[in-house]
Amino acid sequence: MGGQEIEQLIRLLGRLPGFGPRSARRVALYLLRDPQGRLLPLARALERTGAAVRTCSTCGTLDTVDPCHICADPLRDHGLVCVVETVGDLWALERAGVHWGVYQVLGGTLSPLAGMGPEDLNVDSLLRRVESGEVREVILALGATVEGAATMHWLMDALGQHAGVVVSRVAQGVPMGGALDVLDDGTLAAALGARRPA
Amino acid sequence: MGGQEIEQLIRLLGRLPGFGPRSARRVALYLLRDPQGRLLPLARALERTGAAVRTCSTCGTLDTVDPCHICADPLRDHGLVCVVETVGDLWALERAGVHWGVYQVLGGTLSPLAGMGPEDLNVDSLLRRVESGEVREVILALGATVEGAATMHWLMDALGQHAGVVVSRVAQGVPMGGALDVLDDGTLAAALGARRPA
Ligand SMILES: [Zn+2]
Ligand SMILES: [Zn+2]
């Protein structure tokens, strides 16, 4: 339908999360109806972002600069590091505006079944920051899942060797089995506010 | 979050049909996690399609060639023209594989409220084809809506001046108030098979 280019576009759109063949066709048609106003601006935004995106070597988030906007912000509290699983979790906390420190994005959780071990987590730059003495408190903001709990315990062990660093964990508000980035701002604020020593 | 380019990408994704802020962020993160494997291939597919897409000057569908693949196909019955509202309807009939003729894509329906008059419909090329004598039958495959019915009556008048052309309409199977492109293949086949003189 409509030539190889259009079919290829629909195929690629159909692979996006939350997409099926129907939504892929609907989005393709929406874009194709106005190439100048819709399709090409999106193509250019993707191109620009793809060329610019990088992983922050300090915290591991995705940004267009390294260090990222957060790590480079002198107004943020660099002694207060919030550890999250994913960039999506970091975005959720930033949208809620409830954390004035910095972050560490692990890029996942410990999961023997998924073959994720400690060496697969982005923790080296966190341990370096802790060793340098600049970190006062580490907040563990991981999901209330089996993997999140295992990761939290492993991190508490690793961080426990550094006297003088308080390790806390978000407690109240994260529902069992829930992921952080589906919570509303108020719940996130409550979870962060009611954190307790790990 | 993540720099202007990433925010702009999320904004553009959030304007796509069926998208909200959450799905826009989810798709952006999915793409950003693998720029080489996901983001740039999609950018290039959009770019290529945007450069290649054109409207068929014969039937009005979107394709990368003009005349489109269907109008240029000598194996299709060019004497049997199926009139549809949108390119999405044409795609639905092609997927169902129930029409071996060619098409006319009106690009909408008559709708005084939406300011759509006869001059806004893509009908000139249909009337030219009918006048040339190559068309044996015109099948009206419009949605069972008030606008679809108004358009159908207007088209029957316009086509009625041409003796020797049978005008039929899809009847059975199109649910009241329903659009064509959400129907399953069997319903589309039945609707087309049970067409009757208009
Ligand atoms: Zn950073
Ligand atoms: Zn055509």
Side-chain angles (χ1 to χ4, degrees), chain A residues 137-140 155-156 159-160 165-169 196-198:
Chain A
E137 177 176 355
V138 174
I139 307 174
L140 304 178
L155 271 171
M156 285 189 286
L159 294 166
V165 175
V166 175
V167 181
S168 58
R169 48 191 280 187
R196 54 180 180 79

Side-chain angles (χ1 to χ4, degrees), chain A residues 20-181:
Chain A
R22 176 176 304 282
S23 43
R25 286 192 300 265
R26 185 166 50 143
V27 166
L29 264 180
Y30 171 86
L31 295 169
L32 289 167
R33 277 196 190 109
D34 186 359
Q36 294 303 321
R38 295 172 183 169
L39 192 143
L40 290 175
L42 180 59
R44 282 190 292 266
L46 286 164
E47 201 95 51
R48 265 198 307 270
T49 316
V53 69
R54 52 217 66 212
T55 300
C56 176
S57 52
T58 301
C59 74
T61 195
L62 294 168
D63 203 319
T64 50
V65 283
D66 178 18
C68 72
H69 284 87
I70 296 170
C71 288
D73 187 345
L75 296 177
R76 304 200 58 137
D77 183 352
H78 291 255
L80 183 64
V81 181
C82 184
V83 179
V84 292
E85 293 173 20
T86 68
V87 176
D89 293 335
L90 182 156
W91 287 3
L93 286 161
E94 284 298 291
R95 281 198 306 281
V98 292
H99 177 58
W100 49 91
V102 292
Y103 294 92
Q104 179 78 16
V105 179
L106 297 181
T109 46
L110 293 183
S111 171
L113 283 174
M116 285 283 287
E119 67 284 0
D120 300 309
L121 299 181
N122 175 43
V123 282
D124 288 355
S125 59
L126 172 64
L127 298 176
R128 267 201 307 277
R129 284 197 273 176
V130 167
E131 276 155 23
S132 79
E134 69 181 281
V135 179
R136 195 175 68 253
E137 177 176 355
V138 174
I139 307 174
L140 304 178
L142 306 180
T145 59
V146 174
E147 291 82 8
T151 309
M152 206 136 50
H153 283 111
W154 180 82
L155 271 171
M156 285 189 286
D157 277 354
L159 294 166
Q161 303 163 10
H162 299 275
V165 175
V166 175
V167 181
S168 58
R169 48 191 280 187
V170 292
Q172 194 190 329
V174 183
M176 283 307 296
L180 240 80
D181 70 353

